[in-house]
Amino acid sequence: MSFRGSFRGIALVSFLCWCGVGTLLGQRDPVLKQIDLPHPYYFREMYLPQLTTGPSAVAWLPDSRSVVYSMAGALWRQTVESNVAEQLTDGPGYDYQPDCARDGRWVIYTKYDHDALELRALDLQTRETRQLTRGGAVNVEPRF
């Protein structure tokens, strides 16, 4: 293709975008339709969980020797001296953004499931999970 041919292609794309055709071709459905204002792109890109092969969103437990983190859609607990991690959550959805209570018993976190981000609490002693929010909202970055 010559320079002239590539220039024509750029001009055509520019013209289609100016006419509005390009925006129709490039649009995609939002993942979280609940978010429409003020900046849906920001929320989708910043708060939708990213599938990771390594740990992310690390939270310290009060003993200062253990952490809870998200990885591959689940929450994990690990002491800093160990190479072994203990999986705390599993099942459908994606668990991330953990925060630990000062007493070390509870972990609050965000669960992405069924096009919503809901908050849950995990009791580290009993391993029971409680759903804290409902209704298909977007709840992120929980803190005790």
Side-chain angles (χ1 to χ4, degrees):
M1 177 185 286
S2 68
F3 174 75
R4 177 180 283 179
S6 61
F7 180 75
R8 285 184 188 155
I10 292 170
L12 177 62
V13 169
S14 298
F15 175 75
L16 291 174
C17 288
W18 179 77
C19 294
V21 175
T23 57
L24 293 176
L25 297 174
Q27 284 183 343
R28 63 179 185 182
D29 286 336
V31 176
L32 293 172
K33 292 177 177 52
Q34 306 94 312
I35 301 174
D36 57 356
L37 293 174
H39 304 289
Y41 177 80
Y42 171 79
F43 284 102
R44 280 195 314 268
E45 298 303 319
M46 294 301 294
Y47 290 114
L48 284 181
Q50 304 297 317
L51 188 59
T52 60
T53 57
S56 69
V58 178
W60 285 95
L61 283 160
D63 65 5
S64 299
R65 298 169 40 101
S66 305
V67 293
V68 174
Y69 56 87
S70 60
M71 182 173 66
L75 296 184
W76 300 78
R77 178 171 47 187
Q78 184 172 351
T79 60
V80 293
E81 298 94 17
S82 175
N83 291 331
V84 178
E86 172 189 10
Q87 187 172 353
L88 300 173
T89 62
D90 62 2
Y94 192 98
D95 303 331
Y96 73 119
Q97 295 183 332
D99 191 43
C100 302
R102 288 185 183 180
D103 64 4
R105 181 171 178 175
W106 293 93
V107 174
I108 190 171
Y109 63 98
T110 301
K111 182 176 209 54
Y112 175 57
D113 195 18
H114 303 301
D115 292 332
L117 295 164
E118 303 289 2
L119 302 182
R120 296 194 177 209
L122 171 66
D123 185 332
L124 291 175
Q125 290 178 357
T126 66
R127 298 298 171 96
E128 291 180 23
T129 301
R130 297 181 187 172
Q131 188 165 349
L132 302 176
T133 61
R134 300 184 193 294
V138 177
N139 302 284
V140 293
E141 295 187 10
R143 297 291 175 259
F144 277 101

